[in-house]
Amino acid sequence: MLRRFISGLFAPKEIANYRNDKKIYTLGFFFLLVLILIIPNIIVLFQSGSLDYSDRALIRKVFYNEEIPYQISNNKLVITETDTTNVYDVTLYIKVVFTVEETFPVNVRDMNEYIILTENGVYHQTFLSKKLLFNYSDYQELKNFDFSGATTDNADFWSTVFTIMNNQFEIHRTTTIINNIIGNTIRAIIYLLLMSILIAVFQFRPLSGVEKFMKLWQLVIYILTPYAVGSLFAVLYGAEIFTIIGAIVSIIYGNILTQGIIQKRV
């Protein structure tokens, strides 16, 4: 396994030597890459007990100067303009939704997590599940609440919001960790599958009549190593550029792998 990892990272031409690997062995390597992708998020989940300064700063920045045409009046979310739903991107995968509807449709292909403020309460929703976090009536300070404080970066507004968020995090900590692990694992599997299929499809043409597609796809799994490592550094250093670099390297390695297979079969 280590030898294939090193080859996938530094010597893609050598991957052609592993064409006789059993599928179960390659499957094990695939899940090693999945683990590399999700382990930083798992560590963060277990280490974090509440929102730290960087989390708070990021959330405040997202909503600063943003128009939020909603307020809570008598424990009901009401809209102050004509739009019925507004979506705000907090991170690459987490979105906050304001809606006066009781439901918000999430496509089965949607890998995002949603915090949804509905008419009566707040939900956490993914394509897998929807869970009520709390009703506005659970917190006296939300009985009449104006979201304009977010757009002006009002300190009292955010103090109230972050206190409630930390309280909810403690209440739902175990469920949150489990859901995040499941969600991140599924997301990693889907991304790796899509990446491997795309590379295999583009590299199959010069190998037509030389190698079977399924065997090529199996070998492509090994050259996803730079993509997985790049994604790992992207999470650790908060720089998405590492993911892009890793993806580009894996694509380039696809061409090198193709040349290696042709040389082996000639």
Side-chain angles (χ1 to χ4, degrees):
M1 193 77 74
L2 177 60
R3 185 178 170 189
R4 285 153 180 75
F5 186 86
I6 294 173
S7 296
L9 200 55
F10 302 112
K13 211 171 230 187
E14 292 181 3
I15 298 298
N17 297 326
Y18 308 135
R19 67 177 309 278
N20 294 320
D21 280 359
K22 294 181 179 179
K23 291 184 176 63
I24 189 67
Y25 195 90
T26 308
L27 183 64
F29 189 88
F30 178 85
F31 280 101
L32 171 64
L33 298 183
V34 170
L35 183 62
I36 291 173
L37 285 173
I38 68 172
I39 200 165
N41 291 313
I42 294 174
I43 292 172
V44 170
L45 282 171
F46 278 99
Q47 286 182 340
S48 59
S50 60
L51 294 168
D52 61 22
Y53 176 80
S54 60
D55 294 328
R56 297 178 185 224
L58 173 63
I59 295 170
R60 292 175 75 153
K61 183 178 179 181
V62 167
F63 292 99
Y64 181 62
N65 278 339
E66 284 285 344
E67 186 176 357
I68 307 178
Y70 296 87
Q71 63 184 33
I72 299 173
S73 180
N74 291 320
N75 295 320
K76 298 282 186 182
L77 184 69
V78 296
I79 192 165
T80 56
E81 294 184 6
T82 55
D83 293 338
T84 57
T85 300
N86 287 69
V87 181
Y88 303 89
D89 297 330
V90 178
T91 69
L92 190 61
Y93 303 116
I94 300 176
K95 301 179 185 295
V96 172
V97 178
F98 288 79
T99 178
V100 291
E101 308 294 334
E102 276 304 315
T103 60
F104 180 76
V106 175
N107 194 292
V108 293
R109 294 185 297 272
D110 192 338
M111 292 291 102
N112 294 303
E113 293 183 48
Y114 292 89
I115 304 298
I116 306 173
L117 287 81
T118 66
E119 182 181 19
N120 295 300
V122 179
Y123 290 82
H124 175 268
Q125 185 169 343
T126 67
F127 75 99
L128 289 173
S129 66
K130 178 181 179 182
K131 178 181 179 61
L132 174 66
L133 297 179
F134 62 91
N135 290 310
Y136 305 125
S137 57
D138 295 338
Y139 292 93
Q140 181 62 32
E141 54 266 50
L142 294 181
K143 182 177 182 179
N144 293 290
F145 195 69
D146 191 347
F147 289 98
S148 64
T151 65
T152 59
D153 200 25
N154 181 274
D156 291 336
F157 170 89
W158 284 117
S159 176
T160 299
V161 170
F162 291 142
T163 298
I164 293 173
M165 289 178 67
N166 285 332
N167 176 253
Q168 287 297 310
F169 185 87
E170 289 302 320
I171 292 173
H172 301 285
R173 179 178 174 82
T174 301
T175 303
T176 299
I177 289 174
I178 293 172
N179 287 342
N180 271 277
I181 290 174
I182 293 173
N184 285 323
T185 300
I186 293 173
R187 185 183 295 123
I189 290 172
I190 290 174
Y191 285 173
L192 288 173
L193 284 176
L194 288 176
M195 189 79 175
S196 62
I197 291 171
L198 286 173
I199 293 175
V201 166
F202 281 110
Q203 295 302 321
F204 185 63
R205 185 176 179 182
L207 292 175
S208 182
V210 177
E211 190 64 88
K212 293 180 180 179
F213 179 80
M214 291 303 295
K215 178 56 66 175
L216 172 62
W217 185 21
Q218 183 179 349
L219 292 174
V220 165
I221 298 297
Y222 296 121
I223 63 168
L224 291 180
T225 306
Y227 172 69
V229 173
S231 299
L232 171 65
F233 281 107
V235 175
L236 292 177
Y237 295 101
E240 194 62 28
I241 188 65
F242 287 111
T243 300
I244 297 172
I245 293 172
I248 292 173
V249 171
S250 287
I251 292 170
I252 294 172
Y253 279 9
N255 289 316
I256 299 174
L257 171 63
T258 299
Q259 296 168 14
I261 294 173
I262 293 173
Q263 290 173 5
K264 291 286 182 183
R265 299 299 293 270
V266 171

